[in-house]
Amino acid sequence: MSTLYAIVGAIFDALFAPFSELPAWVTLVPISVAFTILALQVVKWTSNQDAVNRAKEQWQSGIFEIRLFNDDIGAIFRAMGRIFLNVAKQISLLVVPLLWMAVPFAIVMGQMEVKYSYSGLPVGEAVLLKVTLKGDGDPTAPDPGLRLEAPAGVDVQTPAIWVPARDEVLWRIAPTQPGDYDLKLVESSGETTTKTLVSQDGIVRRSPYRTTRFWTQLLFPGEAPLPADGRVQEISLPYPGQTVNLLGIELHWLFQFFILTVILAFALRGPMKVTF
């Protein structure tokens, strides 16, 4: 899985590189168009479109029947039964296309999350770098002796703070100039682990978490997962959240993406001859 994420991440980085300094909507709109076209094509290829059309026609006719026989309680209930039955049938016929789209959707959404959801760390603004070690939360556990090595451009403002009850080591750090940096965590055994820090604007990859957990890696694929047999379980670095401005409306990118794809899906279903 990590190899797949590395390949997909490299592709996205290459695609976004020429547009990294442009407003986010410049890339979000064409991605929404491409995704909608792909999704509609998947629905067309993997669903029984004739059966979907029949189910849709059946529940639509039920609505008209209710309007025509609104003074006949029995007819209304029979029509409602057919409506619910055919709506359920239509939805069930679209389950297969949704399953086909689930994995690529999750991968693409993760890549977009680390590019659109966060802005770079502001120069001079301190944040907490938190390292969670594998342990049992023993409050008497000795200091693990973890050392942080930061490159020029990043100021380490405090020594390591060991919180044994939570198996955490904390540092307060701040970027002193814009850039893309690699922080190095050195264990007493000499083993090293790295964490990226980004202090620049633009549509670039920013990783708030580096972890061994599968689901966190799925949602935040900004860096390679931590080694499963290593001592470090998770490294977190809180980036400021950001929104996307589209037509003067400021919203999280996922809402913008969802609104765009829904509008485009209804606009393109006729020309592409797709029923859903």
Side-chain angles (χ1 to χ4, degrees):
M1 184 62 75
S2 59
T3 302
L4 175 61
Y5 275 124
I7 294 172
V8 174
I11 293 172
F12 266 74
D13 288 346
L15 291 174
F16 278 84
F19 313 102
S20 62
E21 300 302 322
L22 298 177
W25 68 265
V26 174
T27 51
L28 187 62
V29 170
I31 289 174
S32 300
V33 173
F35 184 86
T36 303
I37 293 172
L38 176 62
L40 289 174
Q41 199 63 54
V42 169
V43 170
K44 188 174 183 178
W45 286 338
T46 61
S47 67
N48 185 334
Q49 286 287 285
D50 290 336
V52 173
N53 276 308
R54 285 195 299 271
K56 185 175 182 179
E57 290 169 357
Q58 287 293 323
W59 66 254
Q60 287 177 337
S61 68
I63 293 175
F64 287 122
E65 187 174 341
I66 290 173
R67 291 177 178 175
L68 288 172
F69 302 101
N70 56 18
D71 57 347
D72 186 335
I73 298 299
I76 290 174
F77 277 104
R78 287 192 295 273
M80 289 177 62
R82 287 195 297 275
I83 290 171
F84 291 135
L85 178 64
N86 284 284
V87 167
K89 184 178 180 180
Q90 183 179 352
I91 293 172
S92 69
L93 289 167
L94 297 173
V95 169
V96 171
L98 290 175
L99 292 175
W100 273 95
M101 290 295 296
V103 173
F105 179 81
I107 293 173
V108 171
M109 292 303 101
Q111 294 295 331
M112 294 176 69
E113 172 72 11
V114 296
K115 283 184 165 56
Y116 287 109
S117 283
Y118 309 99
S119 59
L121 293 176
V123 171
E125 185 170 312
V127 294
L128 281 180
L129 174 68
K130 181 172 72 174
V131 178
T132 303
L133 303 177
K134 295 175 182 176
D136 54 7
D138 181 2
T140 63
D143 191 318
L146 198 62
R147 188 174 77 255
L148 173 63
E149 295 182 358
V154 178
D155 180 27
V156 180
Q157 298 180 343
T158 63
I161 301 172
W162 169 232
V163 186
R166 300 173 65 176
D167 298 308
E168 292 177 354
V169 185
L170 308 171
W171 290 267
R172 190 175 69 187
I173 62 175
T176 57
Q177 59 187 33
D180 190 349
Y181 304 101
D182 283 328
L183 306 174
K184 183 183 292 186
L185 298 162
V186 184
E187 299 179 35
S188 56
S189 63
E191 293 291 324
T192 62
T193 308
T194 60
K195 177 73 185 77
T196 59
L197 183 155
V198 180
S199 178
Q200 59 179 332
D201 296 326
I203 309 172
V204 296
R205 194 190 309 189
R206 299 180 179 93
S207 173
Y209 300 99
R210 189 177 180 198
T211 180
T212 57
R213 298 187 182 97
F214 172 77
W215 287 111
T216 307
Q217 178 65 23
L218 184 67
L219 295 172
F220 304 99
E223 295 177 86
L226 293 167
D229 58 352
R231 191 177 183 187
V232 178
Q233 179 171 286
E234 181 178 281
I235 309 170
S236 65
L237 187 64
Y239 285 92
Q242 69 174 355
T243 56
V244 174
N245 187 317
L246 181 62
L247 300 177
I249 301 173
E250 291 276 353
L251 287 173
H252 188 275
W253 75 267
L254 190 56
F255 290 106
Q256 301 277 24
F257 180 81
F258 176 76
I259 292 168
L260 282 170
T261 52
V262 169
I263 293 172
L264 289 166
F266 280 97
L268 296 175
R269 65 177 179 172
M272 293 185 66
K273 296 182 173 58
V274 180
T275 301
F276 55 83

